[in-house]
Amino acid sequence: MQREQKIGTITKVSGPLVVAEGMEGAEMYEVVKVSKEKLIGEIIELEGDKASIQVYESTSGIGPGEPVYRTGAPLRVELGPGLLETFYDGIQRPLDVLEKQTGAFIARGVEVPGLSRTKKWEFVPKVKKGDKVEEGDALGTVQETTLIEHKVLVPPRISGTIQEIKKGNFTIEEVIAKVKNKEGKIDDLKMYQKWPVRKERPTKEELIPIEPLVTGQRVIDAFFPITKGGTACIPGPFGSGKTVVQHQLSKWADADIVIFVGCGERGNEMTDVLLEFPELKDPRTGEPLMKRTVLIANTSNMPVAAREASIYTGITIGEYFRDMGYKVALMADSTSRWAEALREISGRLEEMPGEEAYPAYLGSRTAAFYERAGRVICLGSEKREGSLSVIGAVSPPGGDLSEPVSQNTLRVTKVFWGLDDALASRRHFPAINWLTSYSLYAKEIEPYMKEKVAEDWVELRTEAMVILQQEDSLKEIVRLVGVEALSLKEQLVLDTAKSIREDFLQQNAFDPIDTYTSLKKDYWMLKIILTFHQKGLEALDRGVELEKILTLPIKEKIAKAKFVEEKKMGDLEKLVGEIGKVIEGVKVEK
Amino acid sequence: MLKAYKTVTEVSGPLLIVEKVSDVKFEEMVEVELPSGERRRGRVLEIDRDRAVVQMFEATRGLVVEGAKAKFLGRGLELPVSIDMLGRVFDGAGRPKDGGPEIIPEKKLDIGGNPINPYARDYPTDFIQTGVSSIDGMNPLVRGQKLPIFSGSGLPHNRLAAQIARQAKVIGKGAEKAKFAVVFGAMGITFEEAQYFINQFRQTGAIERAVLYINLADDPVVERITLPRMALTCAEYLAFEKDMHILVILTDMTNYAQALREISAARKEIPGRRGYPGYLYTDLATLYERAGRIKGKKGSITQIPVLAMPEDDKTHPIPDLTGYITEGQIMIDRGLHMRGIYPPVDVLPSLSRLKDKGIGPDKTREDHAGISNQLYAAYASGKEAKELAVILGEAALTDMDKKFSKFADGFEDKFVRQGEFEDRTVDETLDLGWKLLTILPRSELKRVKEEQIEKYMPKVKK
């Protein structure tokens, strides 16, 4: 508004890229309004008075000679009450408001603020006149949804003494506090702040993540855990169930806030999320999941430049909630589409291409994005601890992981969930391959697992994984010479591995009970399977026939363990003893 | 007041360069008049100061630099639309191809279309009965879905597409009132193939409720870029303004992508995989994502793009990127075709992502999901057993393996195979599935509910 009088002139239009001259004094990443229609764009290259601008909307009908208005500010998001439960596009325009303004199809040149200017929020102050505050301190709170108390923070770089603080119902544009700093300057504080999306929000200190992010998905929690503040990568060819895994994580992960960025994905899928989340109940509080969720959708047919911005919009909102001391999880589906947007813009800038025509800076951009995750001590005198976990999906063309986006992502993320086409076509879901996946956090969370789950957790997990490894090599032999060539114990290993695969790793996202499993239940389920294995080995030593062990009716109960409700976990505990007794009871035939 | 420029300086492939222009807009339409008086059309692809790069929609053969006049029309590429388009055949530039008169437009629409706001979308939930068991039973199509047919050269994908177009109908509540139409877009297909479709539509009277856009193999390549956009603009008009349920069939997407590559190469862009431009994904998405339903609108757009995979390779960029955008795929299998099975749909790699919400008690039948899973699992086991038999010989199979193997044969022969004009109801399809399952022992039927076995399984003990 105030600085839009500075005007440049368009000289070139090529798809989403516009070049303008007369732009002296403009800054990199400054937001501009292009043409009379005021399409939103961002400066991505400066050369003399010439600026290359990526435009977030269709540039059809735009031509040389038209004006470019400067705004003097970089691309920013609005951070304050009203973020939750909202469905945004890639540059934080609420899609429901857009629909009201332009109908079912997204027209261009529409400017809508990220947060409602008219809605009133009840502000409850936590400080009083005369108190000293520093950056990151909570001035007060707003009950944003039934689940989340929104802390109104002193923005970075502001500190001093409270001159005035209000209480009551306000819109976000009203001043709720005045802070006088050491130089005697008074800052008017509102309930919201703006932050440039490409800039990391500051923190006091970074910490090593030590607590798992419990996702309720057995293969992840038990075998390849991610931490609160950790990063993970899910690459998968199409049809391997990548999206279902992402949805499951955003539904069940034990984060306080979930941010789901649909980056260049299917429109119907985002609609599905939108319809489903308000219906789904948070397993811990019984409230609709939507109350802790922010959705960002830039579907594949929406303008490509806004797709590039969407993951930054998402992560900035994530950092903001982390700064309040919340545990935040961000899902980005899919970062490959983000990288493609980068490639398209780079191509139009006629930059020197790197691998597969991706720009040479793909690696550094990817790393910088994932580096914004982490467990931190937030700004503020309270020393709140917050965390931001990032889970990025990658869609490698043809399922080939050697391509640049997958490789650059693997270099910076610490967990790899390798989705496998072959497993998916066998209808093994989630189709995460247990032989190729890994998690570098397994060691770091051991103390937590020992304390909160069970003393023998680590041994149990290791044993299960060893059995799966053995199965892989034994299967080779079976393929060559048949099952008969194996010893009885090896045959039992095969059976146990099958049980781990089918009764533990396979999990039905659409079954009301099976869809979520707690860490404790993970433990008992594994314990049951491995007790059967141990007792089976002992029985074989006694001379019991293998056939007799494998046909014991108690195996039914093992297979049904996944359908035992969390409340009835005691049943599983009892089953462990029962298995022991049953197998010990099998008589040896003379 | 339109200005005409005589400053055409270069013709390169489908591109034309006009210099010293002023006030030209991105994606503006251009009409080029040749000294002979002939007119051809194109669109601005890039504009740099006073130099415009124009992509011609028609062949550039015979285009000359000398004496050509380029007229900038001051508007984007628009499609005149009217309800009278039903029953007509058009070419890739939107001109009548059936000898009939020009359309008297109700209005003109920009063929680029705007993206549907995801917030305004309604989730597809209505089952479409195609009458083809391998689709209805195993990978059901729902209204508003985009489900491509992945095929190879020489396979009968077009016959299957035509069969779906003939037979597709919505069953269940309120289905009678629904108005249904087909929009058919053919890119770079042969005269015989095109004639086949036209005849199919004519014979069954379906042409009355169809709009055909046809670009033959020897028609200008660049028209293949605009053709699907014309077809989809027409579909959007019929669906969201005239409350019709539209099935859009686009064949063959491979030809479309190749046309895109040709233009990209002419512009000297940096190529991505296999020479296709880096924006192929985004470009395809702007077509496929135009399927769907919108809250508060009666109509819908369902898309069936057909693509012949080069070398039957699923990882080729065209099927690969398509698979990432569409909601599943129907796979045509060469092996089945060789064995004379029509339609040669391999149900194992086929997938319909939206099926769960489109089937069940109120939509099709309560046992649909269960039996579909059971047939899938049993067929997969049967195929495995057969592979084993190839390596180790029939004798090495256990009795159970033999039963599964027999099931797999029966499944291909009875369930998948059907006549080109055989229109099975979903009940017939599901009952057929139950009948086949009698080959297997009851204890192996783990994915169907006990009470459903009682209710639907034919009571013949074999």
Side-chain angles (χ1 to χ4, degrees), chain A residues 352-365:
Chain A
M352 184 68 81
E355 244 181 302
E356 292 197 18
Y358 283 104
Y361 46 78
L362 174 68
S364 57
R365 291 272 171 94

Side-chain angles (χ1 to χ4, degrees), chain A residues 11-13 15 21 59-62 66 95 99 104-106 239 264 266-268 271-272 337 396-398 425, chain B residues 24-27 47 49 114-115 117 119 121 123 273 278 281-282 285 289 320 323-327 329 353 357 376:
Chain A
T11 61
K12 177 181 172 178
V13 183
E21 61 184 15
T59 51
S60 186
I62 306 295
E66 292 195 60
L95 285 165
E99 193 209 4
F105 294 88
I106 300 177
R266 304 179 180 98
N268 277 334
T271 309
D272 190 24
R337 306 300 164 223
S425 69
Chain B
V24 167
K25 309 293 184 200
F26 180 59
E27 295 193 335
I47 168 87
R49 287 174 196 272
N114 280 326
N117 185 332
Y119 187 82
R121 277 184 189 267
Y123 201 71
R273 273 207 310 155
Y281 176 85
T282 306
E289 280 290 338
D320 188 55
Y324 274 122
I325 307 165
T326 55
E327 286 134 349
Q329 66 278 339
R353 289 169 190 267
K357 297 212 165 112
Y376 184 95

